[in-house]
Structures are given as structure tokens and as C-alpha cells.
Amino acid sequence: MRILVTGKNGQIGRCLVEQLSTMSDITLLALDRDQLDITDSINVNKVVAEFIPNIIINAAAYTAVDKAEKERELAYAVNRDGPYNLAVAANNINAIIIHISTDYVFAGYSVAAYVETDDTEPQSEYGRSKLAGEQAVERACSRHIILRTGWAFAEQGHNFVNTMLRLTKTTDTLDVVADQFGSPTYAGDIANAIMIITKQLADGNQAYGVYHYSGFPYVSWHAFAEKIFELALAQGVLKQSIQVNPVTTPDYPTPAKRPANSRLNCQKINQEFGIVQSDWQAALVRIGQYSR
């Protein structure tokens, strides 16, 4: 099986490359932005036509949620046009595309965890650009998996865990939003879920469509931060306790509006592929390995 991975230096991309590289039955081509600009349709078609992958996994994305409010054109170029180019190229050679999307395609008004068929109503330019990317992939290639996830974190990279640990270098008191709820998800587990899907697709499973995959239990950003500091203190990563003050969304204004509830219901992916939700707390136990 031949697999093309884009965005190899991102959080999920790194984990994908690490896991796929251990499989002897896979020929892997993993590229970063400098090697393959997915917004360049001519180059995308050239790379795909030359490599002829069975599966394309798009881990490339514009993820600067707040900056997207001003960098709208760039966000749409990477999150909509890039996935479309990859999906067209996949369709041209009858390949499968697996595209990673986000919980921010939802408005956040629901009191329940979102299922795949719920109405989307993104509240930010980032969310709208990601939804546009989903729609572009659906139009361009019928053999697609769109995997929505949320609150991704890993040992390396820009994410909430590493941001919290970095801030402890300069303060022992933090204000963290307590009225936004979601699903922290370890990037290594997202990569593993994609690996499982990839293997089953290769074996003939044709359950194409949109899926949710995220961590459990659901928490607020405030509760997530408290768990990070609890484990960091217990393992000696922190030398003293951090006071985490719960604040409301209006108390902590940001350029982009975030959904109050972006919890994802992951029953469908369990039913179709046997994949269980990520245990994000287990991943955090290795907090000594995270960037500080």
C-alpha cells in the first residue's frame, strides 16, 4: 500500500509518520509545506500522479484560530483549496483521501455532544474555512473519510498543554475559561485511529463519510488546565502549585468566537471501525516529555 501524508511536521502529521514508518507493507511519502504546497494544484497533481498513492492523508491545515479572522484568504487557501486539490488528485487515480477537520465547524449551542449529521454553523473564519474544506473534499472525491477532532495536543508543537506549561515560567496564577466544553485529544491517538481506518479501507471496508474522533472525558478548558498542572506537580515538572482561576468567555475576549460546546459524539466511528475514544488523561501522564 502506498500512502501520501501531507503536513508531516504538524502535531498529527508527526505522529502519523512515526507510526506509518514502522509498517513494512507500506510505501510512505510524507511531505511538509516546503515540499508540497497543497494550495498549488499543478504541483499537487504532479506529485500524486508520480507517486500514485492508494491513500492520501491530509494532515496539513491552517490552525491559527484567532489570526484567521484577519488572514481569511490564507485560511481558506490552506483549509479549503488545498484539500480540494488533494481530493481532485485522489479522484483522478481512484485513490482514497482521509481529511482531518475540526469540532469548530459547530456553533456550540447544543447541550449534547455533536453527532456527524448535526447542522454545522461555524462561528469563526477558521471554522468556516474548515467546513468549506470538508465540502470541497466531499464534492471532489466520493472515496473520502472526513475525520473531525478537537483540542489536539502532543509532546511537541503549539497546543494548549505546552502553552500552559510555558506560562508557568513567568506566573503562578492563570485565568482559564470555564464555560467552553470540549474533548482534549492526544495527537498520537488520532494518528492511531487513522491507522486503523487505513488498514480497514485497504481490506475492503468502504464505510466512507464523515466521522468524529476525540478524547474522553469531556471537560472545560479550566478543568483541562487543572489536570495538566496536577500531573505536572506530581511528577516534579512544576515546583509549586499553579492557581487556576475560572473565568467566563466574556471575561476573556478573543478575536475569534469559540463554541461553548464542541463535544463530539464518537459512536459512529466505534460502530464502523471499532475505534474507541482517546484517553487523553493517560496521554498526559507522560507530561514530563512535553515541551516546557
Side-chain angles (χ1 to χ4, degrees):
M1 183 163 53
R2 300 172 69 82
I3 296 179
L4 169 63
V5 174
T6 63
K8 74 170 187 178
N9 289 331
Q11 292 185 108
I12 299 171
R14 286 177 179 172
C15 294
L16 277 167
V17 171
E18 181 179 334
Q19 294 184 29
L20 288 167
S21 297
T22 66
M23 300 178 64
S24 59
D25 59 341
I26 285 178
T27 300
L28 175 65
L29 176 62
L31 303 173
D32 61 21
R33 181 172 52 189
D34 292 334
Q35 297 168 311
L36 178 61
D37 177 359
I38 64 172
T39 68
D40 182 346
S41 61
I42 294 175
N43 199 26
V44 167
N45 284 321
K46 179 176 182 292
V47 170
V48 171
E50 290 178 353
F51 183 62
I52 315 179
N54 304 104
I55 297 176
I56 297 172
I57 304 174
N58 180 34
Y62 179 104
T63 58
V65 178
D66 287 322
K67 285 185 177 180
E69 297 298 307
K70 290 186 176 181
E71 298 180 347
R72 183 181 184 278
E73 289 187 7
L74 179 58
Y76 274 82
V78 178
N79 291 343
R80 178 195 60 195
D81 302 342
Y84 176 75
N85 293 336
L86 291 167
V88 168
N91 190 65
N92 287 341
I93 61 169
N94 201 33
I96 298 165
I97 182 167
I98 300 176
H99 173 63
I100 301 168
S101 192
T102 176
D103 53 344
Y104 279 24
V105 299
F106 294 110
Y109 303 136
S110 174
V111 296
Y114 282 96
V115 298
E116 288 81 355
T117 53
D118 281 334
D119 291 339
T120 52
E121 189 184 345
Q123 301 293 294
S124 65
E125 292 295 348
Y126 165 72
R128 285 187 280 271
S129 71
K130 290 296 288 183
L131 178 60
E134 291 185 10
Q135 295 166 341
V137 168
E138 289 175 329
R139 288 195 309 270
C141 184
S142 61
R143 303 178 76 200
H144 65 261
I145 298 287
I146 293 170
L147 189 67
R148 293 175 181 149
T149 189
W151 296 22
F153 68 93
E155 291 84 350
Q156 304 296 322
H158 179 70
N159 58 65
F160 185 76
V161 177
N162 288 332
T163 296
M164 290 296 101
L165 293 174
R166 185 181 70 251
L167 289 173
T168 63
K169 293 182 177 181
T170 57
T171 185
D172 57 7
T173 303
L174 289 169
D175 294 339
V176 181
V177 172
D179 59 356
Q180 295 174 17
F181 294 84
S183 313
T185 317
Y186 178 54
D189 292 339
I190 298 171
N192 185 63
I194 293 172
M195 292 274 288
I196 294 171
I197 292 170
T198 297
K199 291 176 183 177
Q200 292 193 29
L201 293 175
D203 290 338
N205 186 337
Q206 296 184 19
Y208 304 122
V210 180
Y211 290 89
H212 290 173
Y213 179 75
S214 63
F216 191 82
Y218 306 122
V219 288
S220 68
W221 289 113
H222 177 265
F224 190 19
E226 286 195 315
K227 191 64 177 181
I228 293 166
F229 297 137
E230 174 191 323
L231 291 172
L233 186 65
Q235 296 182 29
V237 174
L238 294 179
K239 302 306 179 185
Q240 62 182 11
S241 298
I242 301 297
Q243 181 178 330
V244 189
N245 301 318
V247 298
T248 65
T249 297
D251 293 329
Y252 195 82
T254 56
K257 183 179 179 181
R258 268 87 167 161
N261 168 35
S262 63
R263 295 175 295 151
L264 298 177
N265 182 308
C266 301
Q267 291 182 358
K268 181 182 176 184
I269 199 169
N270 179 255
Q271 292 168 352
E272 296 290 349
F273 293 102
I275 296 170
V276 298
Q277 286 186 259
S278 168
D279 183 350
W280 62 266
Q281 294 182 100
L284 269 184
V285 168
R286 302 186 297 276
I287 203 160
Q289 301 175 19
Y290 288 72
S291 298
R292 298 192 300 280

